Amino acid sequence: MRQLFTMGILAILCACGSQQQHDTQIAHTEQVSTDSASHKTPAATDTAQVSNEPVRGISDYDKLKLLAGKNVFSTLHSKLVATLPDSLKEVFKNSPDLDLLTSSKGNLFLNDKEDYAFVVYNKKKAGIELMVYDALANKFSALYSDIKVENELPSHGCGSAIDTLTKDIEYKIGEQSDDMVKEPAKYLETPAIKIADISKDKDILIKDGCMSKRTTKADCKNALCIATSSVYNNWTCIRYDKAKNSFVVFFSQVFAD
């Protein structure tokens, strides 16, 4: 099980008319997070020093701390926050413990709205979170801790029993850590996540991948896909299940030499 963690209520100011403003919140409930146990390491890990040495040879957890200490994450954060709508900029301005590393927008919650998905570095827990923004509800949530994520692939005879998508993202960042130290902006050159119609996306090769047998054509239109390798064209895709208010892992593709 992952460690218990609580994210604070984050108040933001959103424009409403010319003068009025109202509050919105990032909702986080106090519960066991299946997303954070990988960050529990011996006490010596917490003393990892920032140096000019290559990042190779240390854990993903320490790589994240080192990248944060070298201002790699804050550099990406500054570039990306500037591209967001004003109301979402306010969220991150009022969330000093979160560094935005990448984002994607689309009709993720199936309400014909411009929803968002974010990969963020949480400074308090020194770990990655995958967050989603429901534009209709004006609400932020963290996958696994706030919204359940189910994996349909193993029960349908394909895919593997993944731990969490955030762990995959941490691993991918670890693969790129040396390059990110040298030139942080290179991380933004290829998408780390995307909200896409996977039947039309150039990176997703459905016939070569593994798909849940329950998947319909409609499920493919607004999938959130996460790149799981910096070397291969590997992706895992999830879809929103409106009836259950949860996400489902329904497709993956893995290539290797």
Side-chain angles (χ1 to χ4, degrees):
M1 294 295 294
R2 311 275 181 178
Q3 74 177 22
L4 186 69
F5 82 97
T6 305
M7 288 194 63
I9 300 299
L10 304 173
I12 67 170
L13 299 177
C14 295
C16 180
S18 60
Q19 299 293 329
Q20 292 184 330
Q21 295 181 317
H22 66 278
D23 292 336
T24 186
Q25 297 176 331
I26 292 182
H28 287 286
T29 55
E30 184 168 326
Q31 54 187 293
V32 174
S33 167
T34 60
D35 180 29
S36 56
S38 63
H39 308 307
K40 294 294 288 180
T41 58
T45 299
D46 294 334
T47 62
Q49 298 296 312
V50 175
S51 71
N52 292 321
E53 295 301 313
V55 186
R56 296 184 298 275
I58 61 176
S59 69
D60 290 338
Y61 174 80
D62 281 341
K63 287 176 183 178
L64 294 176
K65 291 190 69 176
L66 190 146
L67 290 170
K70 288 179 175 288
N71 298 318
V72 173
F73 293 154
S74 60
T75 298
L76 296 174
H77 175 86
S78 297
K79 290 179 178 294
L80 288 165
V81 167
T83 69
L84 296 177
D86 288 343
S87 60
L88 298 184
K89 287 179 185 176
E90 291 297 321
V91 173
F92 289 99
K93 286 180 181 178
N94 288 282
S95 307
D97 291 322
L98 301 180
D99 274 341
L100 175 60
L101 307 186
T102 190
S103 69
S104 184
K105 60 185 177 181
N107 183 27
L108 183 61
F109 285 91
L110 312 178
N111 294 312
D112 295 321
K113 299 290 184 181
E114 192 170 78
D115 306 311
Y116 276 80
F118 301 101
V119 172
V120 302
Y121 176 70
N122 187 318
K123 299 173 188 176
K124 280 191 173 180
K125 73 173 188 178
I128 294 297
E129 288 190 306
L130 184 55
M131 302 184 70
V132 290
Y133 171 68
D134 181 341
L136 182 64
N138 193 25
K139 179 181 178 181
F140 280 78
S141 303
L143 268 60
Y144 298 100
S145 58
D146 297 326
I147 297 185
K148 186 177 181 180
V149 180
E150 303 176 71
N151 186 3
E152 286 187 346
L153 297 183
S155 64
H156 285 75
C158 66
S160 60
I162 63 169
D163 187 358
T164 64
L165 294 169
T166 46
K167 188 173 181 179
D168 285 339
I169 294 169
E170 289 178 353
Y171 175 77
K172 180 176 180 290
I173 290 174
E175 286 184 322
Q176 299 173 277
S177 53
D178 281 335
D179 290 335
M180 291 175 72
V181 168
K182 295 173 185 175
E183 194 171 350
K186 276 196 171 182
Y187 181 72
L188 304 177
E189 291 180 359
T190 56
I193 60 172
K194 62 173 74 178
I195 299 173
D197 181 343
I198 67 171
S199 67
K200 298 177 180 179
D201 190 89
K202 63 181 178 63
D203 293 319
I204 307 299
L205 308 175
I206 291 179
K207 64 181 179 63
D208 296 319
C210 164
M211 184 175 287
S212 166
K213 295 177 182 178
R214 296 179 185 175
T215 304
T216 67
K217 289 184 178 180
D219 293 333
C220 296
K221 290 183 178 180
N222 299 286
L224 171 56
C225 296
I226 295 92
T228 57
S229 173
S230 62
V231 179
Y232 301 103
N233 186 30
N234 293 350
W235 295 83
T236 297
C237 299
I238 64 177
R239 60 177 176 81
Y240 181 62
D241 186 329
K242 210 167 187 177
K244 295 181 179 180
N245 187 32
S246 64
F247 282 88
V248 177
V249 180
F250 75 100
F251 177 81
S252 72
Q253 65 182 44
V254 179
F255 301 98
D257 293 333

